[in-house]
């Protein structure tokens, strides 16, 4: 199958954060998508979790002109439980309009003219497989869609109720662990991108700290070193205080590379332990932070950047080990 270089699958948390009513993350989410050049992609896959149910939004040629005869913009919402379907169209159009506004791409009235379809795709047989269905929707769409989608010609040539069989879906679910372990260069539809670690190295040290990145780093810390006293959504001060003595950081490093820090003790000089951590991370050629960043007024963004780079390093290390 021809490799599709113009595709993007966004983080499953992004649309959820965009719809969050308690805090406003709309600008963050839109800017993350623009950073990933979503308006230049032929296909953008947006997982949506709403009312405890997963749907898949597919944005096709979303940055192209409405006058195009070969790459017409359109939007599809694939739902494996149509009986639960709510009218998501206004929210989705608002989301796309926000993308256009920040990307200085099109006027709002043009968004209203983009075709929005909810095709009758195969339905799940139980109440718990919606997440698997959006994975399979993406997988099948990549396999079956043309390189240049034209809604007048290609819809709905394959997104139908008999798009795939239950046996096809069950086989996919059964083989999913092996699919996830497949080396990138053997996957027909994988977009070649710089490693996450490389991307993290290129981040500006002074970039603003986003709530999502801090929550992501915190969740990983809690999982890796059992830091259950660490709040799931810490304030700036709570975040720095929890890391200031170096215990969590050194224990984390020893989890990733056993024996990196030879002795971690609570009574040891705080600065010695943090220095051990920073020197070790620097030796791994990953971004670090300054001791002063752990103090009041420090740069939390640099700390989060360091932790996310370690997270990526650990994931790549584990992935490489699984392929040996």
């Amino acid at each position: 199958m021809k490799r599709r270089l113009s595709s993007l699958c966004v983080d499953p948390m992004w649309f959820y954060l965009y719809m969050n009513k308690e805090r406003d993350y709309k600008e963050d989410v839109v800017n993350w998508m623009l950073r990933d050049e979503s308006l230049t992609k032929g296909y953008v896959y947006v997982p949506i979790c709403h009312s405890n149910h997963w749907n898949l939004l597919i944005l096709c040629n979303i940055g192209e002109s409405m006058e195009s005869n070969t790459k017409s913009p359109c939007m599809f919402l694939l739902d494996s439980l149509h009986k639960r379907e709510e009218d998501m169209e206004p929210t989705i159009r608002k989301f796309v309009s926000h993308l256009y506004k920040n990307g200085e791409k099109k006027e709002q009235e043009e968004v209203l003219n983009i075709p929005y379809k909810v095709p009758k795709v195969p339905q799940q047989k139980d109440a718990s497989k919606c997440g698997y269905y959006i994975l399979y929707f993406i997988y099948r769409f990549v396999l079956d869609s043309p390189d240049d989608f034209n809604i007048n010609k290609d819809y709905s040539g394959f997104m139908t109720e008999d798009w795939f069989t239950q046996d096809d879906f069950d086989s996919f679910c059964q083989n999913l662990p092996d699919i996830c372990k497949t080396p990138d260069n053997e996957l027909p539809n994988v977009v070649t991108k710089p490693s996450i670690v490389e991307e993290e190295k290129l981040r500006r040290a002074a970039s603003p700290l986003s709530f999502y990145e801090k929550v992501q780093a915190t969740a990983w810390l809690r999982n890796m070193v059992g830091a259950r006293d660490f709040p799931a959504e810490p304030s700036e001060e709570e975040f720095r205080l929890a890391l200031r003595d170096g215990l969590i950081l050194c224990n984390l490093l020893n989890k990733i590379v056993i024996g990196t820090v030879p002795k971690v003790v609570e009574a040891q000089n705080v600065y010695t332990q943090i220095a051990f951590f920073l020197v070790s991370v620097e030796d791994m050629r990953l971004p670090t932070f300054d001791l002063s960043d752990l103090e009041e007024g420090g740069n939390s963004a640099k700390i989060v950047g360091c932790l996310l780079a370690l997270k990526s390093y650990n994931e790549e290390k584990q992935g490489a080990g699984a392929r040996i």
Side-chain angles (χ1 to χ4, degrees):
M1 186 194 73
K2 185 176 180 180
R3 183 186 295 266
R4 286 167 174 79
L5 296 176
S6 185
S7 298
L8 172 69
C9 186
V10 306
D11 192 299
M13 283 291 293
W14 286 4
F15 200 88
Y16 174 80
L17 289 174
Y18 186 86
M19 295 176 64
N20 191 294
K21 295 180 180 179
E22 296 181 4
R23 302 188 188 183
D24 189 358
Y25 307 124
K26 291 182 174 59
E27 286 293 322
D28 284 332
V29 172
V30 167
N31 289 333
W32 294 334
M33 289 194 64
L34 292 174
R35 180 193 65 189
D36 287 343
E37 301 180 339
S38 57
L39 292 180
T40 69
K41 305 299 183 182
Y43 299 115
V44 179
Y45 306 101
V46 185
I48 296 177
C49 185
H50 183 57
S51 300
N52 296 318
H53 176 62
W54 285 99
N55 297 311
L56 178 66
L57 171 65
I58 303 178
L59 305 176
C60 302
N61 304 315
I62 204 65
E64 298 293 336
S65 168
M66 290 294 297
E67 307 301 321
S68 174
N69 294 321
T70 57
K71 297 182 179 181
S72 52
C74 50
M75 303 181 285
F76 300 107
L77 184 69
L78 306 189
D79 186 358
S80 60
L81 270 182
H82 277 301
K83 63 183 179 182
R84 287 199 39 171
E85 181 184 329
E86 298 179 28
D87 187 7
M88 295 285 293
E89 183 176 355
T91 303
I92 289 171
R93 289 197 184 277
K94 181 179 178 181
F95 172 65
V96 175
S97 177
H98 202 160
L99 273 177
Y100 282 162
K101 178 183 175 183
N102 284 31
E104 300 179 351
K105 193 71 178 177
K106 297 183 180 181
E107 299 298 328
Q108 185 174 2
E109 53 266 26
E110 291 192 52
V111 177
L112 299 176
N113 295 325
I114 296 177
Y116 172 86
K117 304 289 185 181
V118 185
K120 299 295 183 182
V121 292
Q123 299 291 281
Q124 64 190 75
K125 305 300 182 184
D126 57 24
S128 61
K129 288 284 177 61
C130 54
Y132 287 94
Y133 266 85
I134 66 164
L135 290 175
Y136 196 50
F137 285 152
I138 294 172
Y139 182 78
R140 288 303 300 252
F141 192 91
V142 169
L143 289 175
D144 300 334
S145 61
D147 290 319
D148 297 324
F149 193 94
N150 186 315
I151 192 168
N152 297 319
K153 181 181 68 174
D154 300 310
Y155 180 76
S156 58
F158 55 93
M159 289 182 289
T160 60
E161 289 181 289
D162 58 355
W163 186 7
F164 51 83
T165 67
Q166 184 66 37
D167 287 342
D168 292 334
F169 173 74
D170 291 340
S171 176
F172 172 81
C173 293
Q174 184 177 355
N175 294 321
L176 190 57
D178 293 330
I179 293 173
C180 292
K181 292 177 183 177
T182 303
D184 287 354
N185 59 5
E186 294 181 16
L187 288 173
N189 59 312
V190 170
V191 178
T192 303
K193 296 177 64 178
S195 71
I196 305 175
V197 173
E198 289 299 320
E199 288 182 349
E200 192 60 53
K201 286 181 182 179
L202 296 174
R203 287 170 57 90
R204 291 182 299 170
S207 61
L209 174 63
S210 77
F211 170 80
Y212 172 71
E213 289 172 319
K214 186 170 66 175
V215 168
Q216 188 182 30
T218 300
W220 181 62
L221 275 176
R222 284 160 55 92
N223 180 61
M224 286 290 288
V225 298
R228 300 305 176 190
D229 293 335
F230 205 144
E233 298 183 9
S235 66
E236 292 289 301
E237 187 62 20
E238 288 172 331
F239 186 75
R240 285 192 295 266
L241 274 174
L243 301 177
R244 193 170 293 170
D245 64 4
L247 282 172
I248 290 178
L249 294 174
C250 289
N251 284 326
L252 171 68
L253 206 53
N254 279 340
K255 281 272 189 177
I256 297 173
V257 183
I258 297 173
T260 302
V261 183
K263 189 176 183 181
V264 182
V265 292
E266 193 165 354
Q268 188 168 319
N269 183 286
V270 169
Y271 296 107
T272 301
Q273 294 194 144
I274 297 174
F276 258 119
F277 173 83
L278 293 175
V279 169
S280 299
V281 171
E282 189 171 343
D283 287 344
M284 296 162 73
R285 301 184 183 278
L286 298 177
T288 62
F289 54 86
D290 300 319
L291 283 171
S292 60
D293 291 326
L294 290 169
E295 304 299 328
E296 186 174 355
N299 190 339
S300 296
K302 291 176 68 175
I303 302 172
V304 170
C306 174
L307 292 174
L308 292 181
L310 275 170
K311 177 178 181 290
S312 301
Y313 175 90
N314 186 51
E315 289 170 352
E316 292 189 355
K317 178 171 172 281
Q318 290 179 333
R323 293 196 289 267
I324 293 176

